[in-house]
Amino acid sequence: DFQAGGAAGFRAAAQAGDGEMDKLRGRFTSEEIETLRSAVANVEAQTSSELVPMIVGRSDSYPGVVWKSSLGMTLIGAAVFALLMPHVEAFWVALTLPAWAILGRLLAAWPAWVRWWAGDATLDDEVHQRALQAFVELDMASTTGRSVVLIFFSLLEHRVEIIADHGIYQKVERDGWERTVQESVEQVKQAGVMPGVLHAVSRVGAVLAQHFPRKAGDANEIPDRVVILDA
């Protein structure tokens, strides 16, 4: 099941170029992506703030999971082999170790296996760090009012994170974002990823319209876009 990530205020100084959309985009239809893009445009028509939804396949490659899985399966496999065939010499047991290590490495490509070996604390930290990185990479800290929100969905980890820039964090309390995250997680469980993202955009948009209503002369400083990346 998807789990809720935290919400946080964020000051970013560095700037970087925009990301590119990768093959994960093929998981969603062009109609779904356009519906989401239109939802972002509708939100920004009602607020002076900026909003960017981002979907990534995973937040980290988790190299530690690969070696832990290989080592763990090697030890488990050797132990099981020895228990089931106690009369076999240790030499023959040792010959099976590479096969168990390879099995462990193959299992490390299975998302559920990665989540189990990584653990909740590591998953939370990697998603949070990747969301902060995206905030910088997408140049979201350069708007006039520092009023940008990143809605970040990380699929492998089953986590959602909302990152708000300093201007918004001064007016909107953390609890409000956490409710939105929890509701969006439930939408993902019930209807899928895209409905969950749309729900988050709608709920965040309502908060932004309340606290940062659009004013005459407001400029659209960040393009109405949907960012979809493998990692």
Side-chain angles (χ1 to χ4, degrees):
D1 294 335
F2 258 69
Q3 297 183 25
F10 176 56
R11 287 181 179 268
Q15 297 182 2
D18 200 352
E20 295 180 355
M21 296 185 182
D22 285 321
K23 62 184 179 181
L24 179 63
R25 186 187 182 99
R27 176 170 174 172
F28 308 104
T29 67
S30 57
E31 290 79 10
E32 287 177 319
I33 294 174
E34 185 55 37
T35 296
L36 180 54
R37 194 190 311 276
S38 297
V40 173
N42 290 335
V43 165
E44 294 194 357
Q46 303 174 51
T47 177
S48 60
S49 300
E50 305 283 347
L51 174 64
V52 177
M54 182 172 183
I55 306 170
V56 300
R58 60 196 300 154
S59 289
D60 190 73
S61 60
Y62 299 99
V65 168
V66 175
W67 72 261
K68 285 193 291 186
S69 177
S70 295
L71 178 60
M73 286 305 300
T74 299
L75 296 176
I76 293 171
V80 170
F81 194 90
L83 287 173
L84 294 178
M85 305 183 71
H87 302 298
V88 174
E89 294 182 7
F91 171 78
W92 297 109
V93 175
L95 288 180
T96 68
L97 298 184
W100 291 111
I102 291 172
L103 176 60
R105 187 175 182 84
L106 292 175
L107 287 172
W110 182 25
W113 191 259
V114 173
R115 290 191 293 271
W116 187 79
W117 277 102
D120 287 340
T122 297
L123 296 175
D124 289 342
D125 183 62
E126 293 298 340
V127 171
H128 182 63
Q129 293 302 319
R130 182 65 183 90
L132 295 180
Q133 178 186 340
F135 199 100
V136 174
E137 291 175 343
L138 298 176
D139 195 18
M140 296 178 66
S142 61
T143 59
T144 302
R146 302 293 299 275
S147 57
V148 183
V149 175
L150 172 67
I151 300 174
F152 186 83
F153 280 66
S154 195
L155 303 189
L156 181 143
E157 294 84 355
H158 287 184
R159 276 156 172 77
V160 181
E161 182 119 10
I162 295 176
I163 302 293
D165 204 354
H166 183 63
I168 290 178
Y169 195 55
Q170 287 182 320
K171 292 187 177 182
V172 182
E173 295 182 357
R174 180 186 178 94
D175 289 349
W177 295 136
E178 290 183 340
R179 284 194 298 272
T180 297
V181 167
Q182 293 287 353
E183 292 171 1
S184 301
V185 166
E186 291 303 316
Q187 285 293 313
V188 172
K189 292 177 181 178
Q190 296 172 15
V193 174
M194 192 58 73
V197 180
L198 284 166
H199 180 82
V201 168
S202 175
R203 294 292 297 147
V204 170
V207 173
L208 295 179
Q210 176 184 355
H211 293 280
F212 302 89
R214 190 167 182 82
K215 301 175 183 177
D218 279 338
N220 190 11
E221 299 181 67
I222 295 180
D224 302 332
R225 59 187 171 182
V226 178
V227 182
I228 303 176
L229 298 173
D230 287 336

